[in-house]
Amino acid sequence: MDFFQHLQLKYKFWAVNTVTFISTMLLVLVALWVEQDRIHVERQQLARELVTLASTDRAPAGLRWLDAAGNAARTTSTATWIPGEALTTHAAVPLHGAWAVQHEGQPRLLAVDQQHYLALLFERAPLYAVAVLILMLGVLTVSQLLISFITTNIRALRDVMLTVQETGDLTLRANATSRDEVGSMARAFNAMQSSQQEVVGTVRLAADQLEQGTDEMARLMTNVKDGMVTQQG
Protein backbone atom coordinates (compact mmCIF):
# COMPACT_ATOMS: atom_id res chain seq x y z
CA MET A 1 0.00 0.00 0.00
CA ASP A 2 2.90 2.36 0.66
CA PHE A 3 4.10 1.88 -2.92
CA PHE A 4 0.63 2.59 -4.30
CA GLN A 5 0.30 5.61 -2.00
CA HIS A 6 3.38 7.27 -3.48
CA LEU A 7 2.39 6.70 -7.10
CA GLN A 8 1.43 9.69 -9.21
CA LEU A 9 -2.27 10.13 -9.82
CA LYS A 10 -2.09 9.16 -13.49
CA TYR A 11 -0.36 5.87 -12.64
CA LYS A 12 -3.09 5.11 -10.10
CA PHE A 13 -5.66 5.61 -12.86
CA TRP A 14 -3.64 3.32 -15.12
CA ALA A 15 -3.68 0.67 -12.38
CA VAL A 16 -7.47 1.00 -12.18
CA ASN A 17 -7.69 0.66 -15.98
CA THR A 18 -5.56 -2.49 -15.81
CA VAL A 19 -7.90 -4.00 -13.23
CA THR A 20 -10.85 -3.03 -15.45
CA PHE A 21 -9.24 -4.75 -18.45
CA ILE A 22 -8.52 -7.93 -16.48
CA SER A 23 -12.08 -7.95 -15.10
CA THR A 24 -13.46 -7.51 -18.62
CA MET A 25 -11.40 -10.43 -19.92
CA LEU A 26 -12.65 -12.62 -17.06
CA LEU A 27 -16.22 -11.62 -17.91
CA VAL A 28 -15.56 -12.60 -21.54
CA LEU A 29 -14.35 -16.03 -20.43
CA VAL A 30 -17.43 -16.46 -18.24
CA ALA A 31 -19.66 -15.35 -21.13
CA LEU A 32 -18.05 -17.98 -23.37
CA TRP A 33 -18.65 -20.64 -20.72
CA VAL A 34 -22.32 -19.60 -20.52
CA GLU A 35 -22.59 -19.66 -24.31
CA GLN A 36 -21.01 -23.12 -24.41
CA ASP A 37 -23.60 -24.39 -21.95
CA ARG A 38 -26.39 -22.71 -23.93
CA ILE A 39 -25.22 -24.39 -27.15
CA HIS A 40 -25.32 -27.77 -25.44
CA VAL A 41 -28.82 -27.13 -24.13
CA GLU A 42 -30.12 -25.97 -27.53
CA ARG A 43 -28.57 -28.93 -29.33
CA GLN A 44 -29.94 -31.29 -26.72
CA GLN A 45 -33.47 -29.88 -27.10
CA LEU A 46 -33.25 -30.02 -30.89
CA ALA A 47 -31.99 -33.59 -30.82
CA ARG A 48 -34.87 -34.66 -28.57
CA GLU A 49 -37.37 -33.23 -31.05
CA LEU A 50 -35.70 -34.84 -34.06
CA VAL A 51 -34.86 -38.27 -32.70
CA THR A 52 -38.38 -39.60 -33.28
CA LEU A 53 -39.28 -37.45 -36.29
CA ALA A 54 -36.38 -36.99 -38.66
CA SER A 55 -34.86 -39.45 -41.06
CA THR A 56 -31.59 -41.03 -39.99
CA ASP A 57 -29.99 -40.09 -43.30
CA ARG A 58 -28.88 -36.62 -42.25
CA ALA A 59 -28.51 -34.66 -39.01
CA PRO A 60 -28.18 -30.90 -38.49
CA ALA A 61 -24.84 -29.34 -37.55
CA GLY A 62 -23.76 -30.31 -34.05
CA LEU A 63 -25.81 -33.53 -34.12
CA ARG A 64 -24.97 -36.95 -35.51
CA TRP A 65 -26.71 -40.29 -35.88
CA LEU A 66 -24.90 -43.17 -34.22
CA ASP A 67 -25.19 -46.92 -34.42
CA ALA A 68 -27.59 -47.79 -31.61
CA ALA A 69 -26.66 -51.45 -31.45
CA GLY A 70 -24.42 -51.05 -28.40
CA ASN A 71 -27.08 -49.03 -26.55
CA ALA A 72 -30.19 -50.93 -27.66
CA ALA A 73 -30.90 -52.05 -24.12
CA ARG A 74 -31.38 -48.44 -23.07
CA THR A 75 -33.86 -47.55 -25.80
CA THR A 76 -37.53 -47.28 -24.92
CA SER A 77 -40.62 -45.86 -26.56
CA THR A 78 -39.80 -42.50 -24.99
CA ALA A 79 -36.56 -40.60 -25.61
CA THR A 80 -33.92 -41.27 -22.99
CA TRP A 81 -30.87 -39.04 -22.48
CA ILE A 82 -27.53 -40.83 -22.19
CA PRO A 83 -24.54 -38.72 -21.03
CA GLY A 84 -21.46 -38.79 -23.22
CA GLU A 85 -19.31 -40.70 -20.71
CA ALA A 86 -21.96 -43.43 -20.51
CA LEU A 87 -22.16 -44.04 -24.26
CA THR A 88 -20.72 -47.32 -25.49
CA THR A 89 -20.71 -46.14 -29.10
CA HIS A 90 -17.60 -44.17 -30.05
CA ALA A 91 -17.57 -41.27 -32.50
CA ALA A 92 -14.96 -39.27 -34.33
CA VAL A 93 -15.54 -36.26 -32.04
CA PRO A 94 -16.22 -35.96 -28.29
CA LEU A 95 -19.91 -36.25 -27.50
CA HIS A 96 -21.95 -34.34 -24.97
CA GLY A 97 -24.50 -37.12 -24.90
CA ALA A 98 -27.23 -38.72 -27.00
CA TRP A 99 -30.97 -39.35 -27.10
CA ALA A 100 -31.95 -43.00 -27.43
CA VAL A 101 -35.43 -44.14 -28.47
CA GLN A 102 -37.29 -47.07 -30.04
CA HIS A 103 -38.89 -45.85 -33.28
CA GLU A 104 -41.07 -48.28 -35.21
CA GLY A 105 -39.28 -51.17 -33.53
CA GLN A 106 -35.82 -49.88 -34.43
CA PRO A 107 -33.40 -48.35 -31.92
CA ARG A 108 -32.26 -44.84 -32.70
CA LEU A 109 -29.38 -42.88 -31.22
CA LEU A 110 -29.04 -39.16 -32.01
CA ALA A 111 -25.89 -37.76 -30.43
CA VAL A 112 -25.02 -34.17 -29.50
CA ASP A 113 -21.47 -33.06 -30.31
CA GLN A 114 -19.55 -31.52 -27.45
CA GLN A 115 -18.76 -27.86 -28.05
CA HIS A 116 -15.07 -27.33 -27.32
CA TYR A 117 -14.38 -24.26 -25.21
CA LEU A 118 -11.19 -23.29 -27.07
CA ALA A 119 -12.87 -23.73 -30.45
CA LEU A 120 -15.68 -21.46 -29.32
CA LEU A 121 -13.13 -18.98 -27.99
CA PHE A 122 -11.31 -18.81 -31.32
CA GLU A 123 -14.62 -18.57 -33.19
CA ARG A 124 -15.90 -15.68 -31.05
CA ALA A 125 -12.51 -13.99 -30.60
CA PRO A 126 -12.99 -11.31 -33.31
CA LEU A 127 -16.39 -10.28 -31.94
CA TYR A 128 -15.26 -10.12 -28.32
CA ALA A 129 -12.00 -8.42 -29.33
CA VAL A 130 -13.92 -5.59 -31.00
CA ALA A 131 -16.28 -5.29 -28.04
CA VAL A 132 -13.43 -5.21 -25.51
CA LEU A 133 -11.50 -2.74 -27.66
CA ILE A 134 -14.45 -0.34 -27.85
CA LEU A 135 -15.08 -0.70 -24.11
CA MET A 136 -11.44 -0.10 -23.16
CA LEU A 137 -11.15 2.87 -25.53
CA GLY A 138 -14.16 4.41 -23.78
CA VAL A 139 -12.70 3.69 -20.33
CA LEU A 140 -9.29 5.08 -21.32
CA THR A 141 -10.85 8.21 -22.83
CA VAL A 142 -12.92 8.92 -19.74
CA SER A 143 -10.00 8.20 -17.40
CA GLN A 144 -7.68 10.48 -19.37
CA LEU A 145 -10.25 13.27 -19.23
CA LEU A 146 -10.56 12.79 -15.47
CA ILE A 147 -6.78 12.74 -15.05
CA SER A 148 -6.42 15.91 -17.10
CA PHE A 149 -9.20 17.68 -15.17
CA ILE A 150 -7.95 16.69 -11.72
CA THR A 151 -4.24 17.28 -12.36
CA THR A 152 -4.91 20.64 -14.01
CA ASN A 153 -6.82 21.92 -10.98
CA ILE A 154 -4.28 20.48 -8.54
CA ARG A 155 -1.37 22.03 -10.42
CA ALA A 156 -3.16 25.39 -10.53
CA LEU A 157 -3.69 25.23 -6.75
CA ARG A 158 -0.07 24.19 -6.23
CA ASP A 159 1.20 27.08 -8.37
CA VAL A 160 -0.81 29.59 -6.33
CA MET A 161 0.56 28.13 -3.08
CA LEU A 162 4.14 28.29 -4.35
CA THR A 163 3.66 31.88 -5.49
CA VAL A 164 2.32 32.84 -2.06
CA GLN A 165 5.27 31.09 -0.44
CA GLU A 166 7.80 32.91 -2.62
CA THR A 167 6.23 36.37 -2.66
CA GLY A 168 4.20 36.47 0.54
CA ASP A 169 1.30 37.97 -1.44
CA LEU A 170 -1.79 37.26 0.64
CA THR A 171 -4.12 38.73 -1.97
CA LEU A 172 -3.69 35.76 -4.32
CA ARG A 173 -6.64 33.38 -4.56
CA ALA A 174 -7.03 29.93 -6.11
CA ASN A 175 -9.71 29.06 -8.65
CA ALA A 176 -12.50 27.44 -6.62
CA THR A 177 -15.28 27.07 -9.20
CA SER A 178 -15.54 23.26 -9.02
CA ARG A 179 -17.51 21.53 -6.28
CA ASP A 180 -15.35 18.43 -5.97
CA GLU A 181 -12.57 17.70 -3.45
CA VAL A 182 -10.08 19.88 -5.34
CA GLY A 183 -12.54 22.77 -5.25
CA SER A 184 -12.99 22.22 -1.51
CA MET A 185 -9.22 22.43 -1.02
CA ALA A 186 -9.10 25.61 -3.09
CA ARG A 187 -11.87 27.20 -1.02
CA ALA A 188 -10.12 26.16 2.20
CA PHE A 189 -6.89 27.72 0.92
CA ASN A 190 -8.70 30.93 -0.01
CA ALA A 191 -10.30 31.06 3.44
CA MET A 192 -6.86 30.62 5.02
CA GLN A 193 -5.50 33.40 2.83
CA SER A 194 -8.36 35.69 3.87
CA SER A 195 -7.80 34.90 7.56
CA GLN A 196 -4.07 35.51 7.31
CA GLN A 197 -4.66 38.70 5.36
CA GLU A 198 -7.09 39.88 8.03
CA VAL A 199 -4.63 39.04 10.83
CA VAL A 200 -1.78 40.79 9.04
CA GLY A 201 -4.01 43.81 8.43
CA THR A 202 -4.98 43.94 12.09
CA VAL A 203 -1.34 43.69 13.19
CA ARG A 204 -0.34 46.36 10.71
CA LEU A 205 -3.10 48.69 11.94
CA ALA A 206 -2.03 48.13 15.54
CA ALA A 207 1.59 48.80 14.57
CA ASP A 208 0.58 52.03 12.81
CA GLN A 209 -1.41 53.14 15.85
CA LEU A 210 1.51 52.29 18.14
CA GLU A 211 3.85 54.23 15.87
CA GLN A 212 1.52 57.23 15.92
CA GLY A 213 1.30 57.03 19.73
CA THR A 214 5.08 56.79 19.99
CA ASP A 215 5.53 59.83 17.72
CA GLU A 216 2.98 61.80 19.75
CA MET A 217 4.72 60.87 22.97
CA ALA A 218 8.07 61.88 21.50
CA ARG A 219 6.66 65.29 20.53
CA LEU A 220 5.24 65.76 24.02
CA MET A 221 8.57 64.88 25.57
CA THR A 222 10.31 67.31 23.26
CA ASN A 223 7.86 70.07 24.21
CA VAL A 224 8.33 69.33 27.89
CA LYS A 225 12.07 69.43 27.50
CA ASP A 226 11.95 72.70 25.59
CA GLY A 227 9.68 74.19 28.28
CA MET A 228 12.03 73.19 31.04
CA VAL A 229 15.01 74.66 29.21
CA THR A 230 13.11 77.93 28.68
CA GLN A 231 12.18 78.20 32.34
CA GLN A 232 15.77 77.52 33.44
CA GLY A 233 17.09 80.15 31.03
Side-chain angles (χ1 to χ4, degrees):
M1 291 300 295
D2 291 338
F3 172 76
F4 189 76
Q5 181 180 0
H6 296 296
L7 282 177
Q8 294 185 15
L9 186 62
K10 63 179 180 180
Y11 297 129
K12 292 178 181 178
F13 269 94
W14 290 355
V16 173
N17 292 339
T18 302
V19 173
T20 302
F21 175 74
I22 295 175
S23 301
T24 303
M25 295 306 299
L26 291 177
L27 288 175
V28 168
L29 296 179
V30 172
L32 284 172
W33 176 79
V34 172
E35 184 176 0
Q36 180 192 33
D37 185 67
R38 180 183 59 81
I39 290 175
H40 286 156
V41 172
E42 290 180 352
R43 288 178 178 177
Q44 187 174 344
Q45 292 175 348
L46 178 61
R48 184 175 185 178
E49 295 174 358
L50 296 180
V51 69
T52 57
L53 300 177
S55 170
T56 58
D57 296 336
R58 184 178 180 184
L63 306 179
R64 64 183 63 243
W65 291 103
L66 298 178
D67 183 6
N71 298 274
R74 300 186 181 186
T75 59
T76 62
S77 57
T78 58
T80 303
W81 174 254
I82 304 175
E85 59 272 12
L87 289 171
T88 58
T89 303
H90 298 285
V93 297
L95 299 176
H96 179 61
W99 287 104
V101 68
Q102 283 280 352
H103 182 68
E104 297 179 354
Q106 297 294 326
R108 281 187 169 190
L109 194 64
L110 183 55
V112 176
D113 293 346
Q114 185 176 12
Q115 176 62 56
H116 287 285
Y117 187 86
L118 289 180
L120 184 62
L121 174 62
F122 292 138
E123 181 181 350
R124 298 289 190 268
L127 174 62
Y128 282 110
V130 172
V132 172
L133 177 62
I134 295 175
L135 176 62
M136 291 309 302
L137 285 177
V139 171
L140 290 174
T141 300
V142 173
S143 65
Q144 286 301 118
L145 290 176
L146 288 174
I147 292 173
S148 177
F149 174 77
I150 294 174
T151 55
T152 298
N153 290 337
I154 291 178
R155 287 172 182 171
L157 178 59
R158 180 202 60 187
D159 293 341
V160 173
M161 290 180 175
L162 291 176
T163 303
V164 172
Q165 179 185 5
E166 294 172 357
T167 64
D169 187 1
L170 298 178
T171 62
L172 292 178
R173 297 291 184 272
N175 185 10
T177 56
S178 63
R179 297 188 178 182
D180 55 4
E181 287 79 1
V182 179
S184 298
M185 288 191 297
R187 285 188 289 274
F189 172 77
N190 292 340
M192 182 185 67
Q193 283 285 90
S194 298
S195 299
Q196 290 183 346
Q197 187 177 11
E198 184 177 349
V199 170
V200 171
T202 302
V203 172
R204 184 174 298 172
L205 178 61
D208 292 340
Q209 292 175 350
L210 179 60
E211 184 179 1
Q212 292 177 1
T214 302
D215 293 342
E216 184 66 25
M217 184 175 294
R219 284 195 298 272
L220 290 175
M221 293 298 295
T222 300
N223 293 336
V224 171
K225 181 180 179 181
D226 291 343
M228 293 177 61
V229 170
T230 301
Q231 290 177 1
Q232 291 176 358

